[in-house]
């Protein structure tokens, strides 16, 4: 499948989506977002893929929603044609998605990275919600996910005063998983994705679902949800295989069933 705004490829069991609007700092227009969701949905339904990566280029992961496309929007036009739904569609991808971030991850780009399950950052990465400079606020989860990640005090500075976080600050505050040299950020993300993609596929999906449920439910409901998923895994061949492999001191051969 060839796309206009993204590049895609598979590296073993890892599906990679790369934004390809370098002249516009990978600004996220409708074309980028719809193609990204189409590609991720295809990887999500492909048994040969166990984990996905979304990335940009060294200078920019994505500098936000496309301001030129958004400039003449009205509330009615946004209701009629809800661009922000693409971030929700990303949230509903069932296999893990890792953002490999170098350079600017701003506005909708930062929100997109935060919607992914993990972030591997290059030491050049910069995270920010500068919408305030345009007379608006974040609209795809920035006020919520940033606050959950870094806490209220810092989130206020980021959203109200346009402060950017360096990669090290982002790691310190729990926004990113690891910070690596710029030359290897994609390789490191692929390595992490390969490790995850080699694990028991059904358990991986349910583990992602259980962790993300924490954002939606009070603790007692989240614990009950986790327990149901835990019990459910005892109906899979992979549970029998994993425990048998441990007992017999051999490597498990996962079936994804
Ligand atoms: C459209 C963008 C863009 C964007 C950059 N460009 N960001 N186009 N939308 N978000 C374009 C510029 O217009 C320019 O095009 C080219 O990319 C290079 O950008 P420069 O500004 O010349 O580069 P530089 O000086 O290096 O500055 C980089 C930058 C800056 C700091 C990232 O471009 C910037 O501040 N961009 C906007 C960041 C932002 O406000 N993001 C939030 C958007 S609102 P030309 O044609 O002039 O060469 C948002 C809301 C989300 O995301 C709501 C939910 C979906």
């Amino acid at each position: 499948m060839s796309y206009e705004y993204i590049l895609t490829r598979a590296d073993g069991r890892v599906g990679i989506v790369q934004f390809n609007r370098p002249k516009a700092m990978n600004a996220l227009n409708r074309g980028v977002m719809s193609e990204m969701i189409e590609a991720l949905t295809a990887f999500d339904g492909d048994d040969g893929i166990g984990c996905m990566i979304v990335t940009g280029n060294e200078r920019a992961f994505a500098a936000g929603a496309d301001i030129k496309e958004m400039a003449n929007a009205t509330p009615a036009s946004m209701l009629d044609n809800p661009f922000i739904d693409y971030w929700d569609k990303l949230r509903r991808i069932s296999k893990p998605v890792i953002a490999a971030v170098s350079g600017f991850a701003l506005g909708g780009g930062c929100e997109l990275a935060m919607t992914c399950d993990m972030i591997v950052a290059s030491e050049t990465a910069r995270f920010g919600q500068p919408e305030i400079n345009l007379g608006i606020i974040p609209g795809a989860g920035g006020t919520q996910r940033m606050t959950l990640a870094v806490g209220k005090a810092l989130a206020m500075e980021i959203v109200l005063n346009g402060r950017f976080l360096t990669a090290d600050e982002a790691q310190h505050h729990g926004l990113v998983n690891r910070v690596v040299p710029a030359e290897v950020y994609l390789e490191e993300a692929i390595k992490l994705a390969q490790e995850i993609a080699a694990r028991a596929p059904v358990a991986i999906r349910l583990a992602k679902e259980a962790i993300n449920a924490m954002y939606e439910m009070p603790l007692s409901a989240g614990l009950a949800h986790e327990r149901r998923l835990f019990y459910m895994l005892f109906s899979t061949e992979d549970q029998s295989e994993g425990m048998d492999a441990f007992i017999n001191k051999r490597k498990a051969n996962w079936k994804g069933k």
Side-chain angles (χ1 to χ4, degrees), residues 21-29 33 59-60 62-70 78 83-85 87 103-111 128-134 136-142 164:
R21 291 190 80 200
K23 287 186 185 145
M25 307 290 269
N26 288 330
L28 303 170
N29 62 9
M33 292 304 293
R59 195 157 165 240
D66 190 319
I67 298 166
K68 293 164 193 170
E69 192 177 76
M70 218 168 23
M78 286 190 279
F83 177 57
I84 294 175
D85 278 4
W87 280 256
F104 295 108
L106 304 178
C110 185
E111 291 168 310
Q129 299 289 163
E131 286 90 340
I132 199 73
N133 299 328
L134 302 168
I136 58 170
I137 68 169
F164 290 178

Side-chain angles (χ1 to χ4, degrees), residues 94-157:
S94 72
K95 293 173 186 168
V97 184
I98 298 173
V101 176
S102 181
F104 295 108
L106 304 178
C110 185
E111 291 168 310
L112 196 150
M114 292 192 294
T115 306
C116 292
D117 303 303
M118 286 175 245
I119 302 178
V120 173
S122 130
E123 54 201 3
T124 65
R126 296 289 177 272
F127 298 86
Q129 299 289 163
E131 286 90 340
I132 199 73
N133 299 328
L134 302 168
I136 58 170
I137 68 169
T143 63
Q144 308 299 297
R145 290 199 176 91
M146 185 61 84
T147 308
L148 281 167
V150 308
K152 175 178 162 179
L154 185 53
M156 286 284 179
E157 271 193 70

Side-chain angles (χ1 to χ4, degrees), residues 91-231:
R91 187 167 66 94
R92 290 196 290 272
I93 296 289
S94 72
K95 293 173 186 168
V97 184
I98 298 173
V101 176
S102 181
F104 295 108
L106 304 178
C110 185
E111 291 168 310
L112 196 150
M114 292 192 294
T115 306
C116 292
D117 303 303
M118 286 175 245
I119 302 178
V120 173
S122 130
E123 54 201 3
T124 65
R126 296 289 177 272
F127 298 86
Q129 299 289 163
E131 286 90 340
I132 199 73
N133 299 328
L134 302 168
I136 58 170
I137 68 169
T143 63
Q144 308 299 297
R145 290 199 176 91
M146 185 61 84
T147 308
L148 281 167
V150 308
K152 175 178 162 179
L154 185 53
M156 286 284 179
E157 271 193 70
I158 293 166
V159 175
L160 275 61
N161 206 24
R163 171 168 165 191
F164 290 178
L165 292 184
T166 64
D168 284 340
E169 286 174 323
Q171 184 175 37
H172 175 75
H173 291 286
L175 191 70
V176 312
N177 292 73
R178 57 187 75 169
V179 178
V180 298
E183 310 80 62
V184 294
Y185 79 98
L186 186 53
E187 267 168 70
E188 288 294 321
I190 293 173
K191 214 183 289 170
L192 175 61
Q194 299 284 17
E195 286 172 15
I196 292 166
R199 297 185 185 280
V202 183
I204 286 286
R205 285 186 184 196
L206 297 193
K208 165 173 170 164
E209 181 183 328
I211 290 173
N212 283 336
M214 229 217 78
Y215 289 103
E216 317 285 339
M217 305 175 181
L219 181 62
S220 56
L223 289 171
H225 186 67
E226 177 196 73
R227 195 162 308 176
R228 282 192 293 273
L229 298 179
F230 175 75
Y231 291 161

